[in-house]
Amino acid sequence: MVFLGFMQFSVLSLCFIVLTTFPYQASSRVSFGGNQNGVNPHLDDGICASAVIVHGYKCQELQVTTKDGYILSLQRIPEGRLEGRNDVSRKQPVILQHGVLVDGMTWLMNPPEQDLPLILADHGFDVWIANTRGTRHSRRHVSLDPSNPAFWNWSWDELVIYDLPAVFDYVFSQTGQKINYVGHSLGTLIALASFSEGKLINQLKSAALLSPIAYLSHMNTALGVIAAKSFIGEITTLFGLAEFNPKGLPVDAFLKSLCADPRIDCYDLMTALTGKNCCLNSSTVERFLMNEPQSTSTKNMVHLAQIVRHGVLAKFNYVSPDYNIMHYGEIFPPIYNLSNIPHDLPLFISYGGQDALSDVRDVENLLDRLKFHGVDKRSIQFVKDYAHADYIMGFNAKDIVYNSVLSFFNQVL
C-alpha cells in the first residue's frame, strides 16, 4: 500500500512537472484555450497548415502506422523558405521528438526564425516532426477507439518498441539516408532507451538530446514536494482512468487543492513546474496554451513515476511478481543499460543549470553512464541560466542552443 500511495502521488506530480509549463489561477478553472475538447479550432487543419505553411515553408502531413496498430501523425518540412527547389534526395533527414503531454506543435511556438524545425530547414536539412500516440493528431488506431481503455494500455516502453521504430523506418524508406535525431525531455528518454537496446542504430547518424531525462532522483519542484506531503489521498480516484487527460476534471480538482497551499505560487506555476525559465516571451506562452497540454496514458505516467521511486531506468513494473514474470520472465522488470549505447554514436547533450526536471545531478548521473563514450563522439553543453522550457520556447535558444546543434550535425555529415 505504501508503494501504491507513492505511485499515486508521482503520477500527478509528474503530470505537472513534465508538462513543460502553464500558468494557472487558483480562483478559476484551468483554462488551456480552445473548445470543450481542448482543441483550438484554428489548429484543426493540422500542424503544417497552422504553424509551417503560414510562414512560407512547404510542409506535408503524413501518417505512419506502428506494428501494434497506432496511426501516428508526421510532418515533413523538406526545404527552407528561400530555397525554391524540390530535390531533397541529398538532404540530411532530421527527426524531432517532443516530450510527454505535448505534441509536435511544441517545436513551433516562436516566430519562424526562432523555431528549431524551421531553422534546420533553412540550413538545408530535411525535417520530420513526430507526434506520439494519444496526442491530438495521433488518436487513431486500426481497430481501437480512444474511448476504449485498451487504446491507452501502453507506457513509454511502447514508444521505444513501436513508435520510434515506425517513424525511423518510414523516414529511412523515404530518404535512403541515415537520420539525425533531436529529442527534448521524454524524447530523450525513449531515444536513450532505444539506443541502449541496439534499436535504430543502423538507421541513425547522430542524436542531439536537449534537457535530457533518464534519471529523476533529484527532481525538485515545489509542486512535487507539497503533493508528496499533503495530497496523496486526494488523487486516488485517478486510478482507473486509462487516458490521462490534463484538461479533465480530476486533474483540475487536484490543481485547485494544491493551489490552496500557501507555499505554492499558482500565479507562477512555470517556475514551480520546470524551474526558473529565463527566456520565454508571454506571447509564446499564450500560443503554448492554445495547443497544449495533450493526453497520454495513465500507465505512461505511472511508468515515469517508477523512475522517480526506484532511481533506475527499467521497463514498466507491474508490481506483482506474477505479472512481471508473465511479461518479462523475471520477478523484476529488465533495466535499460545505457552503458550499452554504442560508444561511437555521435551524441550532443545540452542541459540547464536551472532545470528542476532534468536536474544537474541527474544529468551528471547520465553522463557517468556514458563515460566510456568516445571523447570525440560526445559533445556536452551546459547552459547555466536555462530551465526545461527554455530549450523549446526560449527566444534566444537559436543563439545559445540551436546553433550548437547545427554545428554538431554539420560536423558528423
Side-chain angles (χ1 to χ4, degrees), residues 306-364:
Q306 292 172 351
I307 303 175
V308 180
R309 175 169 174 80
H310 300 297
V312 295
L313 201 59
K315 296 182 185 294
F316 185 84
N317 191 337
Y318 289 88
V319 183
S320 165
D322 290 342
Y323 278 98
N324 282 335
I325 290 173
M326 182 190 308
H327 284 86
Y328 310 120
E330 306 174 30
I331 293 177
F332 299 104
I335 292 175
Y336 290 102
N337 186 352
L338 300 188
S339 299
N340 289 337
I341 295 175
H343 297 169
D344 59 350
L345 173 64
L347 292 177
F348 173 84
I349 297 174
S350 183
Y351 64 110
Q354 301 300 315
D355 198 331
L357 300 180
S358 183
D359 185 90
V360 170
R361 292 165 292 181
D362 288 327
V363 177
E364 289 174 349

Side-chain angles (χ1 to χ4, degrees), residues 202-374:
N202 293 335
Q203 300 165 318
L204 185 67
K205 191 174 190 68
S206 67
L209 309 178
L210 310 181
S211 195
I213 294 291
Y215 303 99
L216 294 169
S217 299
H218 296 95
M219 182 177 60
N220 54 43
T221 69
L223 277 175
V225 172
I226 298 301
K229 293 181 178 179
S230 305
F231 294 102
I232 294 176
E234 298 294 326
I235 60 176
T236 56
T237 56
L238 282 174
F239 275 110
L241 293 179
E243 176 181 359
F244 194 91
N245 180 3
K247 306 178 185 77
L249 291 177
V251 175
D252 175 61
F254 182 67
L255 269 176
K256 286 183 177 179
S257 66
L258 284 181
C259 289
D261 191 298
R263 290 169 289 181
I264 296 181
D265 180 5
C266 283
Y267 291 90
D268 187 17
L269 277 194
M270 182 179 302
T271 298
L273 296 173
T274 66
K276 189 176 181 181
N277 294 283
C278 67
C279 307
L280 304 185
N281 285 326
S282 59
S283 58
T284 300
V285 175
E286 290 176 5
R287 183 168 176 79
F288 177 87
L289 296 182
M290 297 302 292
N291 185 73
E292 315 294 359
Q294 303 284 323
S295 289
T296 188
S297 71
T298 299
K299 185 177 180 180
N300 190 33
M301 300 308 296
V302 171
H303 195 180
L304 288 169
Q306 292 172 351
I307 303 175
V308 180
R309 175 169 174 80
H310 300 297
V312 295
L313 201 59
K315 296 182 185 294
F316 185 84
N317 191 337
Y318 289 88
V319 183
S320 165
D322 290 342
Y323 278 98
N324 282 335
I325 290 173
M326 182 190 308
H327 284 86
Y328 310 120
E330 306 174 30
I331 293 177
F332 299 104
I335 292 175
Y336 290 102
N337 186 352
L338 300 188
S339 299
N340 289 337
I341 295 175
H343 297 169
D344 59 350
L345 173 64
L347 292 177
F348 173 84
I349 297 174
S350 183
Y351 64 110
Q354 301 300 315
D355 198 331
L357 300 180
S358 183
D359 185 90
V360 170
R361 292 165 292 181
D362 288 327
V363 177
E364 289 174 349
N365 187 13
L366 166 62
L367 295 177
D368 184 63
R369 304 302 171 100
L370 301 174
K371 61 186 175 184
F372 296 116
H373 214 77

Side-chain angles (χ1 to χ4, degrees), residues 41-310:
H42 299 293
L43 302 177
D44 284 352
D45 291 336
I47 291 175
C48 281
S50 61
V52 181
I53 295 173
V54 292
H55 297 303
Y57 293 81
K58 293 182 179 179
C59 187
Q60 299 170 273
E61 290 282 356
L62 304 166
Q63 291 182 342
V64 178
T65 302
T66 68
K67 288 185 178 180
D68 60 343
Y70 289 84
I71 302 171
L72 309 180
S73 171
L74 181 67
Q75 289 77 41
R76 184 184 192 181
I77 309 171
E79 62 186 47
R81 181 162 44 182
L82 301 178
E83 289 186 67
R85 61 176 184 268
N86 296 319
D87 182 14
V88 296
S89 61
R90 296 186 179 181
K91 288 176 174 287
Q92 289 293 316
V94 181
I95 293 173
L96 281 76
Q97 176 62 58
H98 59 80
V100 70
L101 296 172
V102 294
D103 66 356
M105 187 73 173
T106 195
W107 298 103
L108 297 160
M109 296 294 171
N110 280 325
E113 62 275 7
Q114 297 175 6
D115 288 331
L116 180 57
L118 305 183
I119 292 170
L120 288 167
D122 282 337
H123 282 80
F125 289 89
D126 182 9
V127 180
W128 302 73
I129 301 176
N131 295 269
T132 297
R133 61 179 66 188
T135 55
R136 184 178 65 243
H137 298 298
S138 297
R139 293 174 65 89
R140 295 177 59 203
H141 189 275
V142 295
S143 61
L144 298 173
D145 187 87
S147 61
N148 186 337
F151 180 93
W152 301 98
N153 185 23
W154 52 268
S155 78
W156 57 263
D157 280 337
E158 280 67 36
L159 307 187
V160 172
I161 297 169
Y162 299 114
D163 285 31
L164 273 186
V167 173
F168 266 73
D169 286 347
Y170 184 81
V171 172
F172 189 76
S173 71
Q174 295 297 306
T175 65
Q177 298 192 63
K178 286 197 171 185
I179 298 161
N180 298 292
Y181 177 88
V182 181
H184 175 256
S185 193
L186 185 69
T188 69
L189 172 62
I190 60 177
L192 289 166
S194 296
F195 304 160
S196 74
E197 296 201 324
K199 295 181 174 69
L200 314 178
I201 297 300
N202 293 335
Q203 300 165 318
L204 185 67
K205 191 174 190 68
S206 67
L209 309 178
L210 310 181
S211 195
I213 294 291
Y215 303 99
L216 294 169
S217 299
H218 296 95
M219 182 177 60
N220 54 43
T221 69
L223 277 175
V225 172
I226 298 301
K229 293 181 178 179
S230 305
F231 294 102
I232 294 176
E234 298 294 326
I235 60 176
T236 56
T237 56
L238 282 174
F239 275 110
L241 293 179
E243 176 181 359
F244 194 91
N245 180 3
K247 306 178 185 77
L249 291 177
V251 175
D252 175 61
F254 182 67
L255 269 176
K256 286 183 177 179
S257 66
L258 284 181
C259 289
D261 191 298
R263 290 169 289 181
I264 296 181
D265 180 5
C266 283
Y267 291 90
D268 187 17
L269 277 194
M270 182 179 302
T271 298
L273 296 173
T274 66
K276 189 176 181 181
N277 294 283
C278 67
C279 307
L280 304 185
N281 285 326
S282 59
S283 58
T284 300
V285 175
E286 290 176 5
R287 183 168 176 79
F288 177 87
L289 296 182
M290 297 302 292
N291 185 73
E292 315 294 359
Q294 303 284 323
S295 289
T296 188
S297 71
T298 299
K299 185 177 180 180
N300 190 33
M301 300 308 296
V302 171
H303 195 180
L304 288 169
Q306 292 172 351
I307 303 175
V308 180
R309 175 169 174 80
H310 300 297

